Amino acid sequence: MAQEVKTTCPYCGVGCGVIARVGDDGAVSVKGDPEHPANFGRLCSKGSALAETLDLDGRLLHPEIGGRRAGWSEALDLVAERFSRSIAEHGPDSVAFYVSGQLLTEDYYIANKLMKGFIGSANIDTNSRLCMSSSVAGHRRAFGSDTVPGAYEDLELAELVVLTGSNLAWCHPVLYQRLSAAKANRPEMKIVVIDPRRTMTADIADMHLAIAPDGDVALFNGLLAHLAASGAVDRNYISNYTSGFDEAVAAASRLDLPALSTATGLTVAQLRAFFRLFETTEKVVTCYSQGVNQSAAGTDKVNAIINCHLATGRIGRPGMGPFSLTGQPNAMGGREVGGLANMLAAHMDIEKSLHRDQVRRFWGAPSVASKPGLKAVDMFRAVADGRIKALWIMATNPVVSMPDADAVEAAIKACPFVVVSDIVRDTDTARHAHVLLPSLGWGEKDGTVTNSERRISRQRPFLAAPGEARPDWWQLAEVGRRMGFAAAFTHGSPAVIFAEHAALSGFENEGRRDFDISAHAEIDGPAYDGLRPFQWPQPQGSAPQKKRFFAEGAFYHPDGRARLVAVEVPRPRSANDAFPFTLNTGRVRDHWHTMTRTGKSARLSGHLAEPFVEIHPRDAQGAGISDADLVTLESPHGAAIVRALVTDRQAEGNLFVPMHWNDQFASKARIDALVAPVTDPVSGQPASKNMPVRASRFAAAAYGFAVSARKPRELDAAYWALARAEGGWRVELAFAETNADWLDWCRKTFAIAAGIEPIGYTDRTSGELRLAFFEGDRLLATLFLSPRPVAVARSWAVSQLGASHHNLAKRFAVTAGRPGADTPDPGATVCSCFSVGVNQITAAVRDGCHSVEAVGERLSAGTNCGSCRAEIRGIINGCLTLAAE
Ligand SMILES: Nc1nc2c(c(=O)[nH]1)N[C@H]1C(S)=C(S)[C@@H](COP(=O)(O)OP(=O)(O)OC[C@H]3O[C@@H](n4cnc5c(=O)[nH]c(N)nc54)[C@H](O)[C@@H]3O)O[C@H]1N2
Ligand SMILES: Nc1nc2c(c(=O)[nH]1)N[C@H]1C(S)=C(S)[C@@H](COP(=O)(O)OP(=O)(O)OC[C@H]3O[C@@H](n4cnc5c(=O)[nH]c(N)nc54)[C@H](O)[C@@H]3O)O[C@H]1N2
Ligand code: SF4
Ligand SMILES: [Mo]
């Protein structure tokens, strides 16, 4: 019997409800849960493709010690013994956990309890340090607690939505869809996008402010000064509920308009227009994410934004408030359990002895760590210099995602004892582990997550545990028991852990702490199984409620008042002739972080199949770089080779490279190798979006493109980038020499049997070479080689893997590298739900489909998840402009 299970998407912090259906044959399909209040049935491209990422190919299925298969008890004994020994010899601060916002709340709770309560160190930090810590620090400075005051509904109720440092269309796509639907219903609603790049999100904006990198403090300071000067502030709110207004305004007023214009890179007219819009619109929501958080001034940016909302009293009311968007599915849950090195469980404060004492008594712990632990960047420094001797990494891939990634890799390599819990066997981090522990992944694991609007939802299992994989919480609890803390880690199920977490949130709380879900403190197995999505707080004895915080003050500083924080505009970085460009990094629509999951899906990999750098046409010209050239990027920390994508969406002087590519998918594209370990002084969050680099053309003697039915082995090339494709793999290549034995190269790389002879041709004048190998009527592999970037119809070439090549003409068509008239090339994927390419959309536009709806009717593109609608609109506009010229 087919079975349907309600669960939650494991990707972004929107936290969409998913219904997973397991058919009689075991096949899984997913659809949006129409009843889930985050998405009401919608899913984006990544959510829609979840079923394609569930196969066991590449999964870690058994514990390993030193590369050999081991049993669980041997592996757990070893971890416990090595951690205990390090603690005995060098003290509790000689060990550390580095965990993740992709853990479930129950996993996270146990990790934090073990480290802070029983090991007695606060050396547990998380990838949320790279993600949300500036927001946490900003909230705590302003509100006295890490509270997101509003709800998603506020974006729909607002008259003005300001999106700063957020590419909502690609990174929170369902929230973007809710916003664009609201704007379609109420066209008078205004949207402002503040981003150095003209992103796909800017597509629905009434105003796009292409701000200079890190110009945000200046912009929001300017806004605060303007609001104060024009009398647009809420005097009652300020005097009843806040302090620090005068100092904040004084600090904010230091730059006049021309100076603000220089600091923000915006014209005085743009500044005036934005200030006026904010001033005259009551219902304003300001959403922000990594363009704000990931900065050396991240916390100040957060407070500069919050200041404007506090000064106008626009907070905690429908359609109003500052809104920090969380990235990971459980970034918020990790904050609730205190997973950051400077926090304690249940939003308590590690620096307050009262809180430490409460947590200690509740846990029955011998002691609770009395000082904050090392934050991620410092933690890996301590690993590098030998202070940390045993490290457990769980659900994160720091060799790819940490700044100064090569140094982080070297530190992990040199660490005497490294444990990695992951679901994938070969990650750039897992390859350096002494002990590998197989974890349950999405669809198998069982617990809760909290989304950006404080909504707690269940992730429910619908697949059996594969191999010997076990939940992360179980691994931690087992090690805790073996370290001598058996009584504190007796939890037999996630329900028991959740109940304990809920009880702690209400423990001696009495309204003094924002995070309180003690209504669930007595929850049992069946109730936990049936738990419906709810928002916190939900104190003991109360029903689920829709609550906004702070409309009438009641902040969590001891005096109950919010703080406006006086923030200074950071000094601009001095010009650096050796590294003249500013490198900005971030996300693409269809990949998730280090690609361990989305890299498995051919559909998702077809959107952008190769690591790239966006560069402005004038900069490209200046550096002698043409579109589709390869580019070497260098900083004092490291180097990368990526494809040039020349576009005026990018501001001059700035470059953008996605953070996703790693050593499994490209020869040299871990962009964090270039990023300096510079952090925000308050939050410790790395500045991942503002790095001086230089760019030059990578001179290759030959370029290649290949498709292969089998995964290529050992790619011997100066540059390569690998992507999953329907029926096999596609590879972009570049070589330093042209006179290799290409036949031999193909045989080795694509594992072609000796008896199989190629079809091929060489053109000595153009230097082009094509080789194709067939077995029966199936294409095994084909290589296109050229002295220039290869101009082959790639989607068409990929589609040949699935085609039947029964006659010679068809086989020769493959080496010709272009489709015949009967099989047009779809072009690069735009709509990944229906695999519709750019050429198909262009053809439809030429055929008279002049709106996104018309294209959707013709090709279905954009009619499922809607994530590509902005791109489709861009293609239509592009075609129509060309036609008009
Ligand atoms: N498709 C996809 N979605 C994701 C993820 C993913 O990997 N893939 N990851 C999730 C996670 S964990 C996170 S944290 C979120 C991140 O979500 P976002 O923060 O929206 O994503 P980013 O692309 O990192 O950065 C957002 C924008 O900040 C801009 N920016 C850079 N510098 C500045 C600046 O100084 N000021 C301003 N105002 N803007 C600037 C960048 O140009 C970029 O467009 O996405 C989540 N959603
Ligand atoms: N330059 C630059 N660097 C960045 C950013 C940026 O914008 N620019 N963004 C930063 C941000 S915001 C973030 S959030 C980080 C993300 O960076 P990471 O956390 O390193 O990225 P992921 O690929 O999500 O890593 C998750 C790992 O956990 C594994 N995994 C998945 N599910 C489970 C599970 O249930 N249990 C266990 N044990 N493992 C599991 C996956 O296979 C994968 O190896 O990157 C940061 N780094
Ligand atoms: S917006 Fe997309 S990635 Fe984010 S939770 Fe929803 S379906 Fe998942
Ligand atoms: Mo993140």
Side-chain angles (χ1 to χ4, degrees), residues 11-13 46 102 130-132 163-168 170-173 194-197 199 209 211-216 288-292 294-295 301 325-329 584-594 656 659-660 689-690:
Y11 295 123
C12 84
K46 292 181 299 305
Q102 289 165 78
L130 322 178
C131 180
M132 299 315 303
L163 296 162
T164 183
S166 157
N167 187 6
L168 201 74
W170 281 12
C171 295
H172 297 92
I194 305 168
D195 193 307
R197 304 187 295 147
T199 58
L209 302 177
I211 196 166
D214 284 340
D216 307 74
Y288 55 93
S289 47
Q290 299 319 334
V292 166
Q294 287 172 340
S295 159
K301 289 187 185 187
L325 298 166
T326 53
Q328 299 178 91
N584 171 12
T585 62
R587 290 154 174 80
V588 303
R589 192 190 77 192
D590 286 356
H591 274 307
W592 178 261
H593 295 163
T594 72
F656 177 84
M659 64 165 292
H660 308 291
K689 297 205 168 349
N690 187 346

Side-chain angles (χ1 to χ4, degrees), residues 4 35 94 115 272 276 333 376 457 491 569 603 641 777-778 827:
E4 282 198 347
E35 287 173 10
S94 70
M115 184 53 86
R272 283 215 176 96
R276 180 103 187 110
S457 301
H491 317 81
V569 173
R603 278 197 295 157
I641 307 172
D777 66 347
R778 292 281 142 195

